[in-house]
Every structure is written in structure tokens, then in C-alpha cells.
Amino acid sequence: MSNATQPTANADERIKEISRFRKALIRPELGGIVGTVAVFTFFLLFAFDSGMFNSQGIMNWSQISAQFMIIAVGACLLMIAGEFDLSVGSMIGFAGMLIAIFSVTLGWPVWMAIILTFVIAVSIGALNGFIVVRTGLPSFIVTLAFLFILRGFAIYLPQTIERKTIIGGVSEVAEGDWLAAAFGGKIFTGAFQWMGDAGIIAVFERGTRKGQPVVDGLPMLIVWALVLVIIGHVILTKTRFGNWIFAAGGDAEAARNSGVPVNKVKILMFMFTAFCATVFATCQVMEFGSAGSDRGLLKEFEAIIAVVIGGALLTGGYGSVIGAALGALIFGVVQQGLFFAGVESSLFRVFLGVILLGAVILNTYIRRIITGEH
């Protein structure tokens, strides 16, 4: 019998250890984090005393950011699944117009108008997804067609029914409606009154509102944004369905061979994108008390830009809801910050383009360093 000892098992060469620092560098949120830090640093230096960072200023840019955030969550999950939806902006205008027509023109209860609008919008999202997966056409082309179709209906319906392109009176019919309050109301009003009484936030000092806090509650728009971000993040990172989303966008054929229901995943993501657009539309209608056929213009591109700033790849299979939320936050802070800093508002797009380009270059450069790509 041989006395030779058994050789010590070597570590599996297929397993490569990566340091925490390197893991952090390849996180999709990196571009969004860097951009957020840069933007806040800039405005803290140049607009700190302008009122941008008092209670009212913070609420202003938070609401703008929340608008972008709501549609960015849907766009993010859909892009990770490997698809685009260019009809988001038109869906916002179309859904808002449906709510106004159902509630004001037809006299239905607002809660019924909202629910039916969500059903119609999500069904259109499902139709978008069905056409894409059954025909194999690029989602860019299919949803571009629906961009024109939905915008056309958003203009045609009010002109035909009301002879105008803006329908008002929603605030009056929505008063006391339980579902309207879930989109247009405010929460934590007591807490904000307490902060006003304690001198933590500013209050009105004269007139009929004397003693009331300048910011009297947390708008449901912001609540919806936070809820959707949390739900989207949990689904993407903590569930099997989230793994399916990544797989569908990374390599659809390999995912199918592994048992992933790719077509179902993509259709559901189109439906979720339409849902998010309708949430935005409903909050907007309740805030303004009216619906306009031009609402939502260019929002589809702003959503995509926010997602890309947040680290998602245009090719699919890579991205983060938290990153998309940071991209939306950058949108809101820059849009309002330029006003507070006294910068010409037309430079907003320039500033945004620079941030977008910088974030994309940073993400691509660091990923190539870590993965060794050329």
C-alpha cells in the first residue's frame, strides 16, 4: 500500500475573489451616485442662500424629482428586460384625458374613472408587449407607433366631445372622493404643523393662513414615487421574477432554454410601465384639476435618460431601480436648482446632457477596467 498522502485540494480556479471596492465600482448605481454628489455639491456652493434648501425649496425639487421617479421605475425595469417604451409621454396625456372625460364630461364617480383608466392603460401596455413578442419587431418601432396613436386620441377625444383640448373641473368633482385623495392629497399634515409650531420649518406670519406651515404635508405624488421605487427594487433584487427580468434582457434565447418565461416577463414589464405612466397622469390631473392633451410631452425620453444616468445599459440585462431613482433626483434638483442659482433656464438641457454623457462614460470606463473588456 502506498504511503503517499493525498494532495491538498486546490481552490476552484473558476471562482475569482473580488474585493469590496471592486464590487462597488461595478455597481450600476455608481454613475447616479457620482452625479448626485456632484449636483448637490454644485448647488450647495452656488445656491445655498437662495432658498433652495429651506423647507419650501426642498419640497419644490422633491416633487419635480418624484414625477421623473415614477416613470423612471417603469422604464428601468423594462430596459433591464431589454425593451423600450417610447409611448410613455403620450400615455400620460391620454390617461389624464380619459380621467377628465369620464369624471367631468360623463359625470361618473372619480374613483370609477380612475380605475377604468388604469384598466385601459395597462391593457394598452399589454398590447404593446404582445405585438413586440409575437412579431419580433423592435419595441422602439412598436411603441413609437403608439406614441402617435395615443397622442392623437388625447387631442381628438376632447376636441370631438368638448370642442377644446383642455378639460377642467376635475377638482370640483373629485372633492371628497376616496381614490382621488390617494393621488392628490397629502399625509403627515399633523407632523408638519407640529414642526411649524416648533420653529423647525417656516410658517405664514400674516393673513388668513397665519401660523400654518409653509409646507403643510407630504404630497401623495412623493409617496407614490417612494412606494414604486421600493417595490421595484425589492422585485428586482429579492425575487425570482427579478432574476427573470435580468435574464430576459441579458440573453433572451439562453433564458428561454433555462425555462424563463421571457415573453411573459416582457409583456408584464410593458404593463408595469403603462401603470407607472398612469400613476403620474392621475397625480398630475388631481394636482392641476384639469387634463390637457399636451401633457407628458418628451417624458419618455426624460425617463430613459434618468435610467441611463442611473447606470442601466441600453442593451438590457443591467441596471438598478435605485440608480434610476438617483437619476430622477438629479433631474429635479438640476431643473429647480438652475432657477434658484439664477442661471438661464434654457441651460437645463445642456446641464442634463453633460451629466448624462459623464455618467455613461464613467460607467462604461469603470466596467471595462473591472471586466477587462476592450
Side-chain angles (χ1 to χ4, degrees), residues 102-179:
F102 291 150
S103 60
V104 176
T105 305
L106 301 182
W108 294 1
V110 175
W111 64 265
M112 185 183 298
I114 293 174
I115 291 175
L116 182 57
T117 298
F118 269 97
V119 171
I120 293 172
V122 171
S123 298
I124 293 172
L127 179 60
N128 266 331
F130 180 79
I131 294 174
V132 169
V133 301
R134 288 303 297 266
T135 64
L137 290 171
S139 55
F140 175 90
I141 298 299
V142 174
T143 57
L144 181 62
F146 272 90
L147 179 153
F148 290 107
I149 292 170
L150 295 177
R151 184 64 67 186
F153 274 123
I155 298 172
Y156 171 78
L157 291 175
Q159 281 187 333
T160 303
I161 298 172
E162 294 277 4
R163 303 297 178 185
K164 52 189 177 183
T165 57
I166 298 177
I167 298 179
V170 177
S171 297
E172 290 76 8
V173 298
E175 192 170 349
D177 187 275
W178 62 274
L179 193 53

Side-chain angles (χ1 to χ4, degrees), residues 29-41 326 330 355 358-359 362 366:
E29 301 93 348
L30 180 64
I33 293 172
V34 172
T36 301
V37 171
V39 164
F40 272 96
T41 301
L326 291 174
I330 292 172
I355 295 173
L362 178 65
I366 291 178

